[in-house]
């Protein structure tokens, strides 16, 4: 089914965010055709009375005037050049960006305003914009985070129906790092019983190291209402044997630390083993708290 694109102008580009490692977020698109089964945005959609189920990602709002609006906001005398996080609530390099080039337009505005920025994406299309990112990185902090939760192709296919293969994302990391841009890997979300086996984790960290990633972080899945129902449905279809365990683990949104902490510890140990130093000068912590992300849309 082809997604519907709704071209709608926005009134503001930058969103004020509270309680996060960044104060501003920016999303050129609303909705995401990648339609990951675990996508935390489904829970916001549910709260906003929009479809969080299989219909999520079928309609994309395109903020057609966002680069111009952003330029006006960045030109204000009150603008403090604080970090702007791009892609906290949708993927800025989903396929629509090939046609609309709104993310690129926003990067050009941020570059011209010497404003630090970070990007979270699963989209290798970002390498199209390596020239703008290089220029922006000469003027202010720039950090790219590629979400690569697993290199298990079977799990990838069944959980991320609309994304590019994870190895392509790692090739994009290499291209960016070679261009002098800080680019790393976010192993998020790790799915217990599906992508947390020691060899699976080691494969990702090793591949990130081989791609030259400047940093690696991880986060374990959490399932809020809206996301939980959809994820359970997909489990029932793809891995029914795991459904009882997941129902038990996710009676609440967050995993018990007894399960999550050892996974995080394994990734930390692997990072050390493979010699991935965190060379960032500032810290953008693992994925935003979904409770607060509603402010980041
Ligand atoms: S790429 Fe990100 S925003 Fe898009 S569906 Fe997947 S998790 Fe959600």
């Amino acid at each position: 089914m082809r997604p519907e694109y709704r071209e709608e102008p926005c009134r503001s580009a930058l969103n004020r965010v509270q309680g996060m490692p960044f104060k501003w977020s920016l999303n050129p698109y609303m909705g995401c055709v990648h339609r990951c089964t675990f996508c935390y945005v489904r829970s916001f959609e549910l709260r906003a009375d929009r479809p969080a189920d299989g219909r999520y990602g079928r309609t994309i709002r395109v903020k057609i005037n966002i680069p111009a609006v952003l330029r006006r906001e960045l030109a204000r005398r009150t603008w403090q050049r604080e970090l702007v996080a791009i892609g906290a609530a949708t993927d800025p390099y989903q396929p629509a960006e090939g046609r609309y080039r709104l993310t690129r337009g926003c990067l050009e505005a941020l570059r011209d305003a010497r404003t630090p920025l970070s990007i979270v994406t699963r989209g290798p299309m970002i390498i199209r914009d390596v020239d703008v990112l290089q220029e922006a990185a000469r003027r202010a902090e720039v950090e790219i985070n590629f979400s690569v939760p697993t290199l298990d192709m079977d799990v990838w296919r069944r959980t991320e129906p609309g994304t590019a293969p994870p190895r392509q994302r790692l090739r994009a990391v290499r291209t960016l790092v070679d261009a002098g841009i800080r680019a790393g890997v976010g192993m998020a979300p790790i799915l217990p019983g599906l992508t947390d086996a020691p060899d699976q984790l080691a494969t990702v960290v090793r591949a990130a190291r081989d791609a030259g990633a400047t940093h690696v972080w991880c986060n374990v899945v959490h399932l809020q209402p809206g996301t939980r129902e959809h994820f359970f449905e997909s489990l029932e279809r793809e891995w029914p044997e795991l459904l009882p365990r997941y129902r038990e683990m996710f009676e609440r949104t967050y995993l018990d630390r007894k399960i999550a902490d050892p996974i995080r510890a394994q990734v930390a140990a692997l990072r050390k083993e493979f010699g991935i130093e965190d060379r960032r000068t500032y810290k953008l912590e693992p994925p935003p708290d979904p409770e607060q992300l509603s402010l980041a849309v």
Side-chain angles (χ1 to χ4, degrees), residues 40 42-44 46-47 222-229 250 252-254 289-291:
Y40 50 83
R42 292 175 189 276
S43 62
F44 312 140
L46 181 72
R47 277 186 265 163
H222 54 259
L223 297 174
Q224 286 198 306
T227 304
R228 182 166 41 211
E229 294 79 356
F250 287 98
R252 289 173 303 172
T253 295
Y254 291 93
D289 184 331
E291 285 301 325

Side-chain angles (χ1 to χ4, degrees), residues 32 34-36 38-39 41 56 90-91 122:
C32 183
H34 290 161
R35 295 182 295 109
C36 305
F38 44 70
C39 180
V41 182
Y56 171 70
T90 58
D91 199 314
R122 287 176 156 80

Side-chain angles (χ1 to χ4, degrees), residues 21 36 58 66 85 123 146 154 167 176 194 203 223 239 258 260 280:
C36 305
R58 301 292 188 194
I66 194 168
F146 264 94
D154 182 46
R167 294 259 176 210
L176 294 169
L194 284 171
T203 299
L223 297 174
W239 294 282
K258 283 192 205 122
R280 290 176 297 178

Side-chain angles (χ1 to χ4, degrees), residues 24-76:
W24 302 94
S25 73
L26 177 80
N27 292 289
Y29 306 94
M30 291 310 306
C32 183
V33 298
H34 290 161
R35 295 182 295 109
C36 305
T37 56
F38 44 70
C39 180
Y40 50 83
V41 182
R42 292 175 189 276
S43 62
F44 312 140
E45 296 298 285
L46 181 72
R47 277 186 265 163
D49 255 346
R50 293 189 294 259
D53 53 17
R55 291 168 294 170
Y56 171 70
R58 301 292 188 194
T59 303
I60 308 299
R61 179 183 168 203
V62 180
K63 299 181 186 174
I64 198 78
N65 62 340
I66 194 168
V69 174
L70 177 62
R71 278 191 185 275
R72 282 204 298 275
E73 292 177 353
L74 297 175
R76 287 179 187 147

Side-chain angles (χ1 to χ4, degrees), residues 207-227:
R209 190 269 317 268
D210 293 348
T214 55
H215 55 277
V216 169
W217 50 263
C218 77
N219 213 349
V220 185
V221 72
H222 54 259
L223 297 174
Q224 286 198 306
T227 304

